[in-house]
């Protein structure tokens, strides 16, 4: 048994917890075809729940695509800063899972694709360093980039770690802009890689992770739930 009925109703409808309790006591909620009158009854996510004529569909896990703005930190709680989880929660019209966390990290000043979830298994699989999940970034530098940089990114750089960086794929867009795809996630990795080439990152935005593309219709600071296809896709990885 996964969740209390009153919590289920308040999590997956517009009702508050006390309104959910009242709806249950008033006999408006049916579980597997039977009227349920106990707010504290336990149910699992496979049970069928109806409120009036409407099915109340709940999901065990939530998966959110967030277009992270600069200025928020990739954490669940922080003493001083606004976290991505707080940011998304405060802008959500509906209840979000209590145990959401960001799947991976972006620096405070980095923008773009961040997935939030409460599916620990998926996060564990995708974040495992052994997996070498590709992450693609749009990068703006302080100066022009050239084909030597592309080659050096490919052959690996000494950023002060035990090993050289793994081959990174760089596509020059114009003078000082490029896409860079890396398969690791060391602290400040891209900034440190460009530092090695004597260049400074002045803008960084993640546009893709593990083949999942940032939805271009999401403005900075906006989010949406992943689609069924996107979730299924991530589960196949
Ligand atoms: N590399 C960085 O330097 N910062 C990020 O946020 C992500 C990759």
């Amino acid at each position: 048994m996964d969740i209390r009925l009153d919590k289920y109703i308040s999590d997956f409808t517009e009702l508050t917890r006390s309104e959910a309790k009242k709806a249950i006591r008033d006999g408006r909620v049916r579980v597997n075809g039977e009227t349920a009158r106990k707010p504290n009854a336990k149910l699992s996510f496979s049970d069928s729940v109806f409120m009036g004529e409407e099915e109340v569909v709940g999901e065990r896990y939530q998966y959110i695509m967030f277009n992270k703005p600069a200025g928020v930190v990739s954490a669940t709680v922080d003493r001083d800063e606004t976290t991505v989880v707080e940011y998304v929660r405060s802008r959500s019209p509906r209840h979000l899972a209590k145990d959401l966390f960001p799947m991976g990290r972006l620096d405070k000043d980095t923008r773009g694709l961040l997935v939030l979830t409460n599916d620990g298994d998926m996060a564990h699989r995708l974040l495992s360093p052994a997996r070498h999940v590709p992450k693609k970034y749009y990068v703006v530098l302080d100066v022009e980039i050239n084909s030597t940089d592309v080659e050096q990114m490919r052959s690996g750089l000494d950023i002060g770690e035990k090993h050289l960086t793994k081959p990174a794929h760089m596509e020059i867009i114009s003078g000082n802009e490029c896409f860079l795809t890396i398969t690791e996630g060391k602290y400040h990795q891209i900034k440190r890689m460009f530092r090695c080439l004597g260049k400074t990152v002045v803008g960084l935005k993640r546009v893709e992770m593990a083949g999942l593309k940032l939805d271009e219709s999401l403005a900075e600071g906006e989010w949406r739930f992943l689609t069924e296809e996107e979730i299924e896709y991530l589960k196949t990885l």
Side-chain angles (χ1 to χ4, degrees):
M1 292 293 146
D2 295 323
I3 188 168
R4 273 174 62 126
L5 179 57
D6 54 353
K7 175 164 165 39
Y8 184 95
I9 297 290
S10 67
D11 278 3
F12 303 116
T13 70
E14 299 301 311
L15 299 194
T16 63
R17 190 74 170 252
S18 57
E19 287 165 346
K21 284 190 171 124
K22 183 165 183 326
I24 297 162
R25 293 208 178 93
D26 289 350
R28 289 167 50 210
V29 175
R30 277 173 298 125
V31 177
N32 300 328
E34 307 268 328
T35 301
R37 291 191 186 266
K38 287 195 178 141
N40 66 353
K42 287 282 171 59
L43 69 154
S44 62
F45 283 89
S46 56
D47 287 322
S48 127
V49 182
F50 274 78
M51 193 165 68
E53 293 306 304
E54 272 199 45
E55 183 166 18
V56 182
V57 181
E59 69 268 275
R60 172 70 187 86
Y61 294 121
Q62 290 180 337
Y63 305 89
I64 285 171
M65 176 184 287
F66 178 41
N67 186 357
K68 177 191 173 302
V72 287
V73 297
S74 298
T76 47
V77 283
D78 189 279
R79 228 168 46 123
D80 308 310
E81 313 271 5
T82 304
T83 70
V84 288
V85 174
E86 290 162 348
Y87 187 99
V88 166
R89 207 184 283 296
S90 69
R91 286 161 178 78
S92 171
R94 64 169 266 201
H95 180 91
L96 296 179
K98 289 214 164 45
D99 46 358
L100 283 180
F101 60 88
M103 203 158 84
R105 278 174 172 277
L106 292 176
D107 294 340
K108 184 176 169 187
D109 58 352
T110 301
R111 302 167 296 128
L113 175 62
L114 192 63
V115 173
L116 308 184
T117 186
N118 55 346
D119 182 346
D121 286 343
M122 179 188 284
H124 186 72
R125 274 188 291 111
L126 289 185
L127 296 179
S128 153
R131 271 204 175 245
H132 305 308
V133 161
K135 285 157 277 192
K136 182 172 177 180
Y137 294 82
Y138 164 72
V139 194
V140 184
L141 285 313
D142 61 335
V143 289
E144 298 245 318
I145 36 186
N146 54 53
S147 56
T148 312
D149 298 326
V150 176
E151 185 45 42
Q152 290 198 280
M153 286 291 185
R154 203 189 58 73
S155 45
L157 296 165
D158 181 0
I159 59 168
E161 298 283 337
K162 222 154 106 201
H163 301 287
L164 294 186
T165 53
K166 296 245 170 327
H169 178 65
M170 179 165 154
E171 295 162 65
I172 298 178
I173 304 171
S174 71
N176 65 336
E177 291 169 285
C178 67
F179 287 117
L180 187 71
T181 305
I182 58 173
T183 57
E184 306 167 281
K186 300 267 176 350
Y187 182 65
H188 290 339
Q189 176 146 350
I190 292 182
K191 293 171 186 162
R192 287 160 70 197
M193 289 170 88
F194 276 104
R195 264 271 138 245
C196 268
L197 304 178
K199 298 173 166 72
T200 302
V201 171
V202 295
L204 190 56
K205 175 178 181 177
R206 183 154 66 191
V207 292
E208 216 175 300
M209 178 181 171
L212 181 72
K213 289 188 168 48
L214 177 63
D215 184 337
E216 308 226 330
S217 70
L218 289 178
E220 253 175 51
E222 286 185 347
W223 63 273
R224 66 160 170 80
F225 288 105
L226 291 193
T227 63
E228 282 302 319
E229 292 76 44
E230 288 167 336
I231 295 168
E232 284 313 310
Y233 164 72
L234 290 182
K235 285 183 177 167
T236 64
L237 297 177

